[in-house]
Structure formats: C-alpha cells, structure tokens
C-alpha cells in the first residue's frame, strides 16, 4: 500500500526552538506539499516542491522553510517556533502525471509552549 | 483568486437519511473541483473530482457531486448516510499547477 509517512504524530516544542517536521513518501511522486490545518480555517498551503532541491511558496510561508534533498523526503522547518504555529501539519504528495491525485499523511500535531 | 466556500460548519443527519453538503466556488473559467474526506485522526482522502464533461460525478463510498455553473456550486450528495460517514468534508479548487485551495470544511455528525 502506498504511503505518505510523517515521522511524528505529536510534538511538543518550546518557543524559539528550531523544529523539523519530516515527511517521506514511497510512491516516487514528484510533487510534495505542506499544509497546516486549523479549526475553522481549513487547510492552508505553506510550501510545495516539484522536484528535488526545488521549492515554491504557498499562501502562508512566513516563519517556515523547507528542504528537499531527496525525492522521497520533504522537510518543513520552523526556524524559531512560536505559539501561533501550534497546529496540525499535513504532508501530501502527487505525481506530475496526476497533479491533483494527492496522497496525504496522517498529520503531525505540533504544540508550541 | 480562486476560492471555495463551504457555508455549513456543522451538519447533523440521521443514519439512513440523505445528505447534501454545499460548496460554492469563485473562478471565472471552468474550475477543477474536488471533495475530500477526513476521518478522525487521519489524513484526507479524495472522494471525487471534476475537471470537465458530465456535470454529475460519481465518487467512492457512494458519494456523488454535481457541478452547476449557473450557481457556481459543486455540492456533495449521498442518498443514505451510514454512521461511518461521520467525518469532516472539504471542498477544494485548483488555483494553479498541482496545488489545491481548500474550503474551511463541514463537519458531518450522524445521529442514530
């Protein structure tokens, strides 16, 4: 079964810490995405990547960066975590040939205290 | 910019009753439209999608959606709801190459 795996289900971090959220897919998908999900706001796109070492800003990139050194792995980085980054983070991937056929991970619930 | 609006935050439906979840889109041309479902503690799963052609789209789990250009709507329907359908449902539109813009979601509660 194809999968998008997010390394942590729950994370608690302190304000000011550098936080890494990891996402790995085993489907050889070219496209990868990071969304955050907040009650009443739905999903909002943070960053996405079409290929290794490529990245594009989404709708809310401020306070985040990403890294894609290998095709299967897409990392979201919070350079200095703040309480307003407490959220559910969802990773997704898709094939270039099926751009909207997203496969989502189960999410990482991050709490910044 | 393309966007979708889901007017209902919560909907409660009796098990066995029919369901309609509303979605309105904002876009000048024919949009690419999607419905996703998120069960508790899970990621999102694609139910169905509309690109062009037949305006009534069949999806998984017995869901269907109808694209109505005149009403700028893409409502999701199911003739008979099961308790396992309780979840959050998201409508989405494709504003650009490979990315999706999601609505704020509608939480479906199923009563016995």
């Amino acid at each position: 079964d194809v999968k998008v795996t997010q390394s942590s289900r729950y994370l608690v971090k302190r304000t000011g810490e550098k936080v890494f959220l990891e996402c790995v897919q085993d489907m050889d998908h070219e496209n990868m995405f990071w969304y955050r999900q907040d009650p009443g706001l739905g999903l909002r796109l943070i960053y996405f990547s079409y290929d290794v070492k490529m990245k594009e800003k989404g709708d809310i990139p401020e306070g985040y960066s990403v890294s894609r050194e290998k095709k299967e792995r897409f990392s979201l980085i919070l350079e200095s975590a703040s309480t307003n980054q407490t959220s559910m983070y969802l990773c997704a991937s898709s094939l270039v040939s099926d751009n909207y056929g997203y496969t989502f991970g189960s999410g990482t619930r991050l709490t910044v205290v | 910019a393309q966007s979708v609006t889901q007017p209902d935050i919560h909907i409660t439906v009796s098990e066995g009753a029919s369901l309609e979840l509303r979605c309105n889109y904002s876009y000048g041309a024919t949009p690419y439209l999607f419905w996703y479902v998120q069960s508790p503690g899970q990621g999102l799963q694609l139910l169905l999608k509309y690109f062009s052609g037949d305006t009534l789209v069949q999806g998984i789990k017995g869901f269907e959606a109808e694209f109505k250009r005149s009403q700028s709507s893409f409502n999701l329907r199911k003739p008979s709801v099961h308790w396992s359908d309780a979840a959050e449902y998201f409508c989405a539109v494709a504003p650009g190459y490979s990315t999706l813009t999601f609505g704020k979601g509608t939480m479906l509660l199923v009563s016995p």
Side-chain angles (χ1 to χ4, degrees), chain A residues 9 31 33 35 37-38 40-45 48 50 59 88 90 94 96 98-107, chain B residues 9 32 34 36 38 40-46 49 51 88 90 93-105:
Chain A
R9 187 73 180 97
N31 302 327
F33 310 85
Y35 287 84
Q37 181 179 14
D38 300 287
L41 296 179
L43 281 75
R44 293 177 290 167
L45 181 63
F48 59 103
Y50 297 133
D59 299 319
M88 171 69 85
L90 291 169
S94 69
V96 166
D98 182 18
N99 276 319
Y100 305 107
Y102 281 28
T103 300
F104 277 88
S106 297
Chain B
I9 298 173
Y32 292 173
F34 308 81
Y36 280 81
Q38 184 180 33
Q42 301 297 315
L44 277 71
Q45 181 183 21
L46 178 66
K49 58 187 175 184
F51 287 173
E88 190 160 20
F90 293 92
V93 66
Y97 179 74
S98 82
T99 64
L100 292 177
T101 295
F102 289 85
K104 295 182 179 181

Side-chain angles (χ1 to χ4, degrees), chain A residues 4-13 17-25 32-37 46-47 63-69 72-79 81-82 85-92 106-112:
Chain A
V4 174
T5 303
Q6 295 184 232
S7 55
S8 302
R9 187 73 180 97
Y10 299 95
L11 273 180
V12 180
K13 296 292 182 180
E17 276 193 77
K18 189 170 186 176
V19 180
F20 293 85
L21 302 184
E22 305 289 346
C23 175
V24 177
Q25 50 94 4
M32 296 189 75
F33 310 85
W34 276 106
Y35 287 84
R36 66 175 283 177
Q37 181 179 14
I46 305 172
Y47 267 97
Y64 303 94
S65 62
V66 290
S67 173
R68 194 168 181 199
E69 296 295 320
E72 67 271 18
R73 185 180 297 269
F74 192 37
S75 302
L76 180 69
I77 304 159
L78 287 66
E79 296 290 342
S82 63
Q85 292 178 309
T86 292
S87 186
M88 171 69 85
Y89 291 87
L90 291 169
C91 177
S106 297
T108 296
R109 184 166 295 281
L110 172 67
T111 302
V112 182

Side-chain angles (χ1 to χ4, degrees), chain B residues 10-19 21 63 78 80-89 106-112:
Chain B
H10 296 100
I11 282 186
T12 300
V13 175
S14 298
E15 190 168 14
S18 63
L19 169 70
L21 301 182
F63 286 92
K78 188 170 185 178
S80 178
V81 168
H82 187 263
W83 64 266
S84 60
D85 293 323
E88 190 160 20
Y89 292 79
T106 298
M107 183 68 71
L108 173 65
L109 305 174
V110 180
S111 61

